[in-house]
Amino acid sequence: MNSSKPSIHLKILCIALCCCLLTFKVFAQDFKFNNGRKAQTIPFDFVKGLIIIPLYFNDKGPFDFILDTGVNPMIVTDPTLKESLKVPYPRAIKISGYGNFEGIDAFLGATSVKIGESDAENIPTVFLKDDILPISGFLGKKIYGLIGYNFFNSFIVKVDYTNKTLKFSSHAKKIKLKGEKISFELIENKPYVNVNIDQEGIGNQVVKALVDCGASHSISLEALNGKAFPQPKFTMEANLGNGLTGRVKGRMGRINSLKIGNFKFNEVLSNYPEYNIDSIGNKGRNANLGAEILSRFNTIYDYQNRCMYIKKNERFGRPFEHDMSGIELYSESGPPSRTIVNKIEPESPADLAGLKENDEITAINFKKIDDYSLDDIGAMFKAKNGYSVIVEVWRNKAFHIKLLKLKKRI
């Protein structure tokens, strides 16, 4: 995985709403076509394994949102959007994050939303009061929030990672459902599937996993039999994500295999977040299945019939690799834009090369940093064990050249 990806491994937003679900049922609405359409296909941006689509609110936009099966209700992470939309009578609420007990201030309101030629009125929407999740900086693209259940429940949705397109069809339209059928259970309007894993020390296990296309990891193994999920012998300390309470700490390892339906993957990277019964143990799940697995299939989601259809694509056979540099990058919007070293992992190649937090990267391999996206840099930093990368940084009003030798650490 790439250099900036650790910040979104566990989940870009580790969130559980503490407000009354009955409120949502009062004004929750589905999306629908109002112009005689029965289906539409739109392109999406694919950044760090995540699906980004444009939304319009009250005829304003577009605003880029992450399409996320692990989210209900819709969440606006950019606090300026609430003011610009002039949402009427938002209700102050508290939401809890990963390990957070005091709660985070937010507002609950309702908005009219348009995606493509479909729209919905009075969509329940949570607006974070403060910008506590700098998603845009870690993706290198302005992101305003996340949308999930209301859209997926309204249509049969095909995510085509091959062509980077999203096709959504009304349930009245007859369509051919291609791929292997995987049944899921909807819990709090989020899909859960059974996944088979084989791991050193515990052998074969069937785990209940949240299907979470808004998380960029492969799988996060959280709990087993009411306790922290056992770990293999070799793991390494890692930053597994940024949640409402800051960094999610834990370790990273590998499992021997993961099987979903009849599809099997070997030597899969796995996350082991620090166990907290209030954040994990009471959710009745074992794991979180993320985009590093899901993006290897072109997938059709049929929430109404509680199933998904998966068909492997050209990404299926790629090896599971972790970042080999030890750098987490953050993009500051400009002008001018800046690419900043947000974190250096101790004893990593970046640490040994003398790179430091808050260094501004100005060039890589003698090519200006503006010529790269964060995805490009991430791919380079996990390219090959032993590969050398020349990094130019700006520090203390001077340029410094560092030779970074990549190393496979797990």
Side-chain angles (χ1 to χ4, degrees), residues 1-6 9 234-239 251-254 269 320-328 343-352 378 381-382 384-386 404-410:
M1 298 186 183
N2 67 39
S3 59
S4 58
K5 219 172 190 178
H9 276 171
F234 179 75
T235 60
M236 68 178 219
E237 186 176 351
N239 170 33
R251 302 190 70 83
M252 180 178 290
R254 286 186 183 269
L269 285 168
F320 293 87
E321 293 292 2
H322 181 51
D323 160 58
M324 300 182 192
S325 71
I327 305 176
E328 179 184 278
K343 188 177 185 299
I344 297 286
E345 295 182 13
E347 301 301 318
S348 68
D351 189 21
L352 298 176
F381 282 172
K382 64 173 183 177
K384 187 177 180 181
N385 186 45
L404 181 66
K405 191 170 184 178
L406 303 182
K407 180 180 179 181
K408 187 171 182 175
R409 296 176 291 150
I410 191 165

Side-chain angles (χ1 to χ4, degrees), residues 327 329 337-341 344 350 353-356 358-372 377 380-381 388-405:
I327 305 176
L329 295 180
S337 60
R338 303 167 68 223
T339 301
I340 305 298
V341 175
I344 297 286
L355 288 162
K356 297 183 181 298
N358 298 317
D359 280 349
E360 179 184 352
I361 297 184
T362 53
I364 298 177
N365 290 343
F366 304 109
K367 196 174 174 182
K368 291 189 303 182
I369 193 66
D370 291 342
D371 293 336
Y372 298 98
I377 300 170
M380 188 183 305
F381 282 172
S388 293
V389 181
I390 299 171
V391 181
E392 179 189 80
V393 300
W394 176 255
R395 179 198 306 163
N396 297 330
K397 299 181 180 180
F399 290 101
H400 303 264
I401 302 293
K402 303 293 181 182
L403 180 62
L404 181 66
K405 191 170 184 178

Side-chain angles (χ1 to χ4, degrees), residues 162-293:
T162 301
N163 297 305
K164 299 178 185 176
T165 59
L166 187 73
K167 182 177 182 179
F168 42 106
S169 308
S170 67
H171 294 282
K173 180 178 173 61
K174 292 183 179 180
I175 61 174
K176 190 172 182 179
L177 301 173
K178 296 181 180 180
E180 181 177 346
K181 182 179 179 180
I182 306 291
S183 297
F184 60 66
E185 182 181 3
L186 275 182
I187 302 175
E188 296 181 353
N189 295 331
K190 301 173 187 179
Y192 287 76
V193 296
N194 288 331
V195 176
N196 291 273
I197 68 164
D198 178 75
Q199 179 182 291
E200 176 189 30
I202 60 172
N204 291 300
Q205 295 282 338
V206 177
V207 297
K208 185 177 183 178
L210 170 65
V211 177
D212 193 351
C213 68
S216 55
H217 56 242
S218 302
I219 190 166
S220 176
L221 296 170
E222 302 169 347
L224 187 66
N225 300 324
K227 299 179 181 179
F229 206 98
Q231 300 176 13
K233 288 181 180 179
F234 179 75
T235 60
M236 68 178 219
E237 186 176 351
N239 170 33
L240 304 182
N242 280 346
L244 295 176
T245 55
R247 295 183 186 276
V248 178
K249 298 179 181 179
R251 302 190 70 83
M252 180 178 290
R254 286 186 183 269
I255 55 177
N256 298 327
S257 66
L258 180 152
K259 189 176 181 184
I260 177 169
N262 290 311
F263 296 100
K264 184 178 180 181
F265 301 97
N266 295 317
E267 293 297 309
V268 178
L269 285 168
S270 51
N271 290 349
Y272 300 89
E274 287 186 354
Y275 180 77
N276 182 299
I277 191 169
D278 293 287
S279 297
I280 296 175
N282 62 1
K283 295 186 182 299
R285 74 181 189 214
N286 307 112
N288 180 297
L289 188 68
E292 187 63 22
I293 293 288

Side-chain angles (χ1 to χ4, degrees), residues 5 7-9 11-13 44-53 65-68 135 138-139 141 143 146 159 161 164 212-217 290-292 295 315 375:
K5 219 172 190 178
S7 63
I8 48 177
H9 276 171
K11 184 80 175 67
I12 280 185
L13 191 62
F44 63 78
D45 287 337
F46 187 55
V47 183
K48 299 191 188 310
L50 306 181
I51 303 162
I52 300 172
I53 60 172
F65 270 61
I66 294 169
L67 185 63
D68 188 347
I135 299 172
F138 289 115
L139 294 184
K141 185 178 180 67
I143 301 295
L146 306 94
V159 179
Y161 287 99
K164 299 178 185 176
D212 193 351
C213 68
S216 55
H217 56 242
E292 187 63 22
S295 66
R315 300 166 58 87
D375 263 355

Side-chain angles (χ1 to χ4, degrees), residues 117-146:
E117 296 297 320
S118 72
D119 54 38
E121 296 182 357
N122 298 321
I123 289 291
T125 306
V126 170
F127 298 86
L128 298 186
K129 182 179 179 181
D130 300 308
D131 188 10
I132 56 177
L133 281 168
I135 299 172
S136 301
F138 289 115
L139 294 184
K141 185 178 180 67
K142 181 65 175 176
I143 301 295
Y144 290 88
L146 306 94

